[in-house]
Structures are given as structure tokens and as C-alpha cells.
Amino acid sequence: MNLQHSAGLRVCFGRVTDPGDARGVRHSLGSMLAMAAVAVAAGARSIAAIREWAQVFRITRQRTDHTTGKQETHTWVGVTDLAAHQARPAQIAVLPRGHRHIENRLHWVRDVTYAEDHSRTRTGTAPRTMATLRNLAISALRLAGATNIAQALRHTARDIT
């Protein structure tokens, strides 16, 4: 499904009149219908299966930049296929932080150990290829038990056997 069709679905779902009570915090009927359509496309075949198919979550965190004093609000919206009994709100709340930890851990090694930001490889698919090779090397070293990638690279450079 392309973006033009999905935008059309959102518009169509948004036009449906919501007969529910407007009190409290609720998701729009259009967004609920869109989620139900995705659940059916993923194989849910009953109302119970659609209800249990996924959890939608929104996490809002506030942060203060101590150098400028400016307050920032960050909001993450996500969908998990874990049912409510598998992932409680407290467990879901740490998902973005865990993802950020993984991303930071990988990018820091690529940036510092491989000096990726200083790479002169800039044309065609070479930058993406080099990033993939670096990720492969980092993953292979971690699977081999290395906790310090720079040290492991120095070790393998001296003794390749």
C-alpha cells in the first residue's frame, strides 16, 4: 500500500462519526479503525484477536537543557505486538530508552573507534557499504565475547588466527 492510499484510508476513517462518550482520554475512532485494519491485515480474525493484537503507546518526557535552561518536551509514539499481559505500562515506558541505548552504543563505536565522521568515503553506495561492514565487524566481535571493541580490533590486527 502506498502513502497516497494510506492517507486516503486515514481520511475515510476520520470521517466516521464516533458514537462513544467524549469524556476521558481516548484515541480517535479513525485511529482505532486504522489499527483494526492493520490487525486484520496481520491475521486477526475476531474482535478479541483485534483487541489483543497490539498496544499503542505514547510516552512523553520533559527535559531541561542545563546549559541554556530551556525546557524541551519529547514524545514517542509506538506500537507493540505484545499483549497487555506481556508488556505492562512500566515495561513499555523503558522501550525508547533501551532502543536509544542500543543506537548510541553502536553509533558511538562507529564514530569513535572507526572515526566514521572523518571518513572520506562519500560517493555512490560506498558510505552505506562501509557502515554495513563496520556493523558486521562490531557484531562479530561482540558475538565472540569482546566488550571493548577498540581493544579487540587491536588484538585481531596483530594476530589474525
Side-chain angles (χ1 to χ4, degrees):
M1 176 182 300
N2 65 31
L3 289 175
Q4 188 177 21
H5 288 107
S6 65
L9 283 175
R10 284 194 306 265
V11 170
C12 288
F13 287 145
R15 290 181 184 152
V16 176
T17 308
D18 189 350
D21 191 350
R23 290 179 293 176
V25 177
R26 295 171 32 102
H27 297 287
S28 71
L29 181 61
S31 64
M32 297 302 291
L33 289 171
M35 286 299 298
V38 171
V40 169
R45 296 293 177 248
S46 68
I47 296 294
I50 292 171
R51 186 176 57 240
E52 294 173 3
W53 178 76
Q55 293 187 72
V56 178
F57 59 89
R58 180 180 69 192
I59 300 171
T60 303
R61 293 196 174 119
Q62 295 180 348
R63 171 185 179 274
T64 302
D65 185 337
H66 293 292
T67 58
T68 64
K70 181 181 174 185
Q71 290 223 328
E72 299 173 347
T73 302
H74 297 274
T75 302
W76 291 272
V77 178
V79 177
T80 177
D81 61 351
L82 298 173
H85 70 278
Q86 294 172 312
R88 302 276 179 221
Q91 294 168 307
I92 290 175
V94 299
L95 290 177
R97 183 170 287 158
H99 176 72
R100 194 169 58 244
H101 171 73
I102 291 167
E103 286 291 313
N104 288 345
R105 185 174 167 209
L106 177 64
H107 289 290
W108 187 85
V109 169
R110 281 180 27 196
D111 208 16
V112 174
T113 306
Y114 285 106
E116 189 173 64
D117 286 348
H118 300 292
S119 174
R120 305 214 18 110
T121 307
R122 303 211 192 304
T123 58
T125 60
R128 181 174 289 167
T129 303
M130 291 304 297
T132 301
L133 291 171
R134 290 178 187 118
N135 289 345
L136 178 67
I138 292 166
S139 297
L141 290 170
R142 286 206 172 118
L143 285 172
T147 56
N148 184 327
I149 301 300
Q151 183 180 11
L153 284 171
R154 286 189 297 272
H155 176 75
T156 55
R158 285 191 301 269
D159 181 18
I160 200 160
T161 58

